[in-house]
Amino acid sequence: MKKLHYASCVLPLALAACTLYSPKPIDIQRDTDEWQQVSARICKGVTPLSLSKLHEVGLLLNPELNVARLNYARSTAVADFAGLWEDPAISGSIARIREPNIINRGIGLSLTLPVTGLPGLSRKVAECYKEADYLAMQARERAYLVKLDSLRYRVMSTHAKLHLMEARVKQQAEEQKSAQRMHELGEMEFADYQVICRRLNDGQKELQEMEQEHLESHLEMVKLLGLHPEQREVELAGHLPGSIPAAVPAPSPEQLMQHPLMKAAMTNHDTSEAELQREIRKQYPELEIGPGFEEEDQDSKVTLGIGMKLPLWNRNQEAIAQATAERNIKEYDAIQTWRDLMQQRVALTDMQSLLLKHCRAEKQRVDLLASAEKKQEELYAIGETKLPAVADARQEAYLRRMNFIDCMTKLLVNQVELQYLNPDFIAK
């Protein structure tokens, strides 16, 4: 009777160790207030934002990166509790024999011994998932920095082009006023006057489009950083480089093998291998033992039962087939990831060579036309040439400067991608 009493105490103690549900409702207003306060505190007194500050803010607040960190936290929590043995089962029985009046009692325990090593394989699978999520988080952070640095150069490009456009439109307005006076005095042909007016109209339209692009790039930067939209006036430190940068070396195939994307793909394949091993082990039975105690007709008995499942029909073939197919998929993903990295390496290297060539050629044209513009300005100042000629020289020099900014921006974005393709590269 005492043994049944002690056994009845086990269940409440076991239930007391269980995790209790705690509700966690979403409070949008509170989250919005915290988001606004954090964004204001980060940006207060530190504008314009330097490159290192951009990285600090973006890595902290970007929502996609925080989702990746939550995935890693989930796999870490799962790995901490993976591979536990199955809980034992306890049972009790009582029987009364009416003639003669005898009450028989019994208590039994059922325990599964993992002789197939399934708990160890479960721990291995969980650790593989944990490592894969960690590497995926690293790869996502690296891809995010590529996107952030590239957008930074595009924002700088819009700044430079906007300032250049504003100065040119102001200059075109002055040219139009001078041309109007000269046309009214009969000193300029109507066709030349029309060209100058059309350039002013086109310049004003392009300036409006650039102002829109400038605003969109700023809003995109605020969103990419994860800041509250109230911080949309934040400015960036730095300018586009004044000279053409040197070529960035491409990573070697050995270095590409250490890229987080490649390591994550290989770890995913290792995970599928461990899962297949686990499913194969499941087709073999586990050993079950059941010690027990019985009281029958005032006699005490100790019993021991041994059992196992017989894999006659269900040998876990369905799960094994799924795990085998998943391994094949992960193997293909790893191979394709390697191929993609190799293709990206070649494509970025070839594009860098082409863009360097274009930038050097465009820089020569900029210098040549700047010299021609200066000469036309000097001749115009002493009355040796007319307004249409100097306006043409100004326009050609302006267009070449704009095109050079575009070429430089493409080159800088290309080099950002090439730098981060190298796993040894660390952003500063």
Side-chain angles (χ1 to χ4, degrees):
M1 191 69 178
K2 291 182 178 179
K3 292 180 175 61
L4 287 175
H5 173 71
Y6 293 150
S8 65
C9 297
V10 174
L11 183 59
L13 291 175
L15 293 177
C18 293
T19 302
L20 300 178
Y21 168 73
S22 177
K24 190 178 180 182
I26 298 176
D27 190 339
I28 297 296
Q29 185 59 48
R30 183 184 62 187
D31 177 79
T32 302
D33 294 339
E34 292 177 353
W35 181 27
Q36 185 176 6
Q37 293 170 7
V38 170
S39 299
R41 184 168 61 252
I42 288 176
C43 296
K44 183 179 180 180
V46 293
T47 53
L49 299 179
S50 63
L51 178 60
S52 60
K53 190 64 179 181
L54 282 178
H55 288 180
E56 178 185 342
V57 174
L59 292 174
L60 176 66
L61 297 182
N62 181 260
E64 293 183 1
L65 296 183
N66 286 324
V67 169
R69 294 180 184 118
L70 289 174
N71 287 332
Y72 175 61
R74 177 186 59 185
S75 58
T76 300
V78 171
D80 291 341
F81 299 100
L84 299 178
W85 283 22
E86 290 187 18
D87 290 327
I90 189 171
S91 61
S93 64
I94 183 169
R96 179 183 178 185
I97 303 175
R98 304 183 68 177
E99 293 294 338
N101 188 15
I102 299 175
I103 297 178
N104 298 331
R105 304 176 182 87
I107 184 172
L109 182 69
S110 178
L111 181 66
T112 300
L113 299 180
V115 294
T116 59
L118 281 176
L121 284 174
S122 295
R123 284 193 296 271
K124 181 179 179 180
V125 170
E127 287 296 330
C128 286
Y129 274 118
K130 175 183 174 181
E131 183 181 1
D133 284 343
Y134 175 73
L135 292 170
M137 181 181 65
Q138 281 191 325
R140 186 166 293 187
E141 287 179 350
R142 206 165 187 85
Y144 171 76
L145 291 178
V146 171
K147 190 174 181 180
L148 181 61
D149 288 7
S150 300
L151 179 58
R152 174 175 173 266
Y153 279 129
R154 287 195 291 269
V155 171
M156 289 180 178
S157 175
T158 59
H159 282 178
K161 292 167 72 175
L162 185 61
H163 293 160
L164 198 59
M165 280 186 175
E166 289 173 342
R168 179 56 186 148
V169 168
K170 183 179 179 181
Q171 191 178 53
Q172 286 173 337
E174 295 174 353
E175 291 173 357
Q176 194 268 345
K177 290 180 181 179
S178 299
Q180 183 177 6
R181 289 194 300 267
M182 295 175 67
H183 174 64
E184 291 173 352
L185 295 173
E187 298 178 0
M188 178 179 289
E189 296 291 336
F190 181 69
D192 293 333
Y193 174 63
Q194 275 190 320
V195 169
I196 292 177
C197 290
R198 185 174 64 251
R199 282 179 183 165
L200 175 60
N201 294 332
D202 292 342
Q204 290 172 338
K205 180 177 179 295
E206 292 171 357
L207 179 59
Q208 292 174 350
E209 293 174 350
M210 184 54 59
E211 288 174 341
Q212 181 179 349
E213 183 178 344
H214 177 259
L215 176 60
E216 290 174 350
S217 63
H218 266 272
L219 294 176
E220 185 181 356
M221 175 63 74
V222 171
K223 181 179 179 181
L224 187 61
L225 290 173
L227 292 170
H228 192 277
E230 285 187 355
Q231 304 301 322
R232 60 187 178 277
E233 301 298 332
V234 66
E235 291 293 339
L236 307 182
H239 304 279
L240 292 177
S243 58
I244 300 174
V248 173
S252 65
E254 292 76 16
Q255 288 174 317
L256 286 182
M257 284 297 299
Q258 301 303 315
H259 193 281
L261 275 177
M262 191 63 205
K263 293 173 71 175
M266 296 296 290
T267 303
N268 284 330
H269 178 260
D270 294 342
T271 304
S272 66
E273 289 273 12
E275 286 186 325
L276 178 58
Q277 293 176 13
R278 181 174 63 176
E279 296 303 331
I280 290 176
R281 292 283 182 89
K282 285 182 180 180
Q283 67 182 333
Y284 302 109
E286 301 280 23
L287 181 64
E288 295 181 356
I289 61 173
F293 177 81
E294 295 181 359
E295 287 186 355
E296 182 178 351
D297 195 17
Q298 298 182 353
D299 293 334
S300 298
K301 299 179 182 180
V302 176
T303 62
L304 179 64
I306 300 177
M308 64 177 62
K309 295 180 180 179
L310 297 178
L312 297 179
W313 299 286
N314 182 9
R315 296 188 298 276
N316 204 35
Q317 293 303 306
E318 180 182 357
I320 292 174
Q322 292 177 348
T324 302
E326 186 66 21
R327 182 182 64 174
N328 294 337
I329 293 173
K330 297 303 182 183
E331 178 185 6
Y332 182 81
D333 287 345
I335 293 174
Q336 191 58 45
T337 299
W338 167 252
R339 292 177 179 178
D340 291 343
L341 289 174
M342 287 294 291
Q343 288 177 343
Q344 190 176 0
R345 170 180 176 267
V346 173
L348 290 174
T349 303
D350 291 349
M351 184 58 68
Q352 177 183 230
S353 300
L354 182 62
L355 291 173
L356 282 170
K357 177 182 176 182
H358 288 175
C359 284
R360 295 188 184 109
E362 198 63 32
K363 184 65 169 61
Q364 292 179 354
R365 286 190 285 267
V366 167
D367 294 341
L368 181 62
L369 290 172
S371 177
E373 179 190 17
K374 182 179 179 181
K375 184 176 181 180
Q376 287 291 336
E377 293 284 0
E378 292 173 350
L379 293 174
Y380 182 67
I382 60 176
E384 292 296 327
T385 189
K386 295 183 179 181
L387 181 59
V390 72
D392 288 342
R394 291 170 178 172
Q395 184 69 13
E396 286 298 322
Y398 160 75
L399 292 176
R400 293 275 67 82
R401 293 188 187 103
M402 294 287 287
N403 198 48
F404 178 69
I405 292 175
D406 289 335
C407 286
M408 279 287 290
T409 304
K410 292 177 182 178
L411 174 62
L412 293 170
V413 170
N414 171 273
Q415 291 187 336
V416 165
E417 296 178 6
L418 194 54
Q419 285 174 331
Y420 280 102
L421 190 63
N422 188 341
D424 298 331
F425 174 75
I426 300 177
K428 297 180 181 180

